[in-house]
Amino acid sequence: AVAYTRGKYTIGVRSLLERGYSAASDFILTGNKKIVNFWKYEYGALLGADLKYFPFDIRYTHTEKEHDGEFDTSDVNTNKVSFTNYLKFFPKTSFLFSFDYGEEEFPNKSNNDSTYKRFWVGVQGKISQKIDGDARVGHTTKDFESGKDQEGTAIKTQLNYRISERLHSSLEIKRDIAITTFANETYTKTSGAALKFGYSPHFNRR
């Protein structure tokens, strides 16, 4: 990730390349648990403004997930735009109001494309010099091309720890309606946790 801040405004870009694995698309159909590898490509952009009465940020993320071999029916391309507004009520703590809009496309699977809208409310704060995070709850509405529309509660908590000036980590716990890799399903309600590490290059200007 690369970010540049000038005065009250910040712009940034980031990219991610991930190699992972998941349950194969025919797991439910055959009863045999198979594991299939995938590649995940992601890039995004950020525009933020730390204005006195209306601090906000706008983020765009594009993700492509490609599975190996005959499991390409699980391939998915996602585009998401997020807008978040922050209202400070203590020097290190803010309320946040956020809206996500996304489109999900399955290039090798019919009638599973979808769009979604997600509203969030939550709290963001700085616990110490090296630790900050946010906790939020929201509502997701997902509209499928097949007509199997769904909605439900979303929960997300993230804790960030700055290990050093350039190295940082985060712990994320979330629950939401998600797309599925199974061939005979369109959605699933998931809960999960993720531990991430990142490095900011020395040419990042803050």
Side-chain angles (χ1 to χ4, degrees), residues 30-199:
T30 65
N32 298 319
K33 185 173 182 179
K34 296 182 180 179
I35 298 300
V36 58
N37 295 321
F38 66 81
W39 283 102
K40 181 179 178 181
Y41 312 90
E42 185 174 291
Y43 58 82
L46 161 71
L47 171 63
D50 189 15
L51 305 179
K52 183 176 181 181
Y53 296 108
F54 197 77
F56 69 88
D57 63 54
I58 301 172
R59 300 172 186 264
Y60 168 74
T61 305
H62 175 81
T63 305
E64 299 178 12
K65 193 174 181 181
E66 299 178 357
H67 296 76
D68 289 355
E70 70 272 27
F71 303 108
D72 61 358
T73 55
S74 296
D75 293 353
V76 59
N77 302 324
T78 305
N79 290 288
K80 184 177 79 169
V81 178
S82 301
F83 174 82
T84 306
N85 174 225
Y86 304 90
L87 299 176
K88 284 189 176 181
F89 61 95
F90 287 117
K92 296 182 179 181
T93 308
S94 302
F95 282 123
L96 64 87
F97 304 89
S98 186
F99 172 72
D100 301 337
Y101 174 81
E103 298 179 347
E104 297 161 327
E105 176 190 8
F106 285 79
N108 303 311
K109 187 177 179 182
S110 61
N111 297 321
N112 207 45
D113 295 353
S114 67
T115 61
Y116 65 85
K117 303 177 185 69
R118 185 181 296 116
F119 296 90
W120 296 103
V121 294
V123 178
Q124 175 181 273
K126 190 170 184 179
I127 301 172
S128 70
Q129 187 175 359
K130 291 189 173 184
I131 302 175
D132 64 79
D134 70 64
R136 59 181 75 182
V137 61
H139 185 81
T140 300
T141 302
K142 190 178 288 284
D143 299 323
F144 288 93
E145 184 180 9
S146 63
K148 299 179 180 178
D149 301 345
Q150 294 291 323
E151 59 180 284
T153 301
I155 299 172
K156 182 179 177 182
T157 301
Q158 182 168 317
L159 191 65
N160 307 306
Y161 176 67
R162 182 169 295 279
I163 301 171
S164 65
E165 183 180 359
R166 299 297 174 189
L167 186 63
H168 51 88
S169 63
S170 66
L171 173 65
E172 182 181 285
I173 300 173
K174 61 183 179 180
R175 175 177 175 80
D176 201 1
I177 298 173
I179 52 178
T180 176
T181 59
F182 297 135
N184 63 338
E185 291 184 339
T186 55
Y187 76 95
T188 182
K189 295 183 178 180
T190 63
S191 300
L195 180 62
K196 302 177 181 179
F197 293 89
Y199 177 78

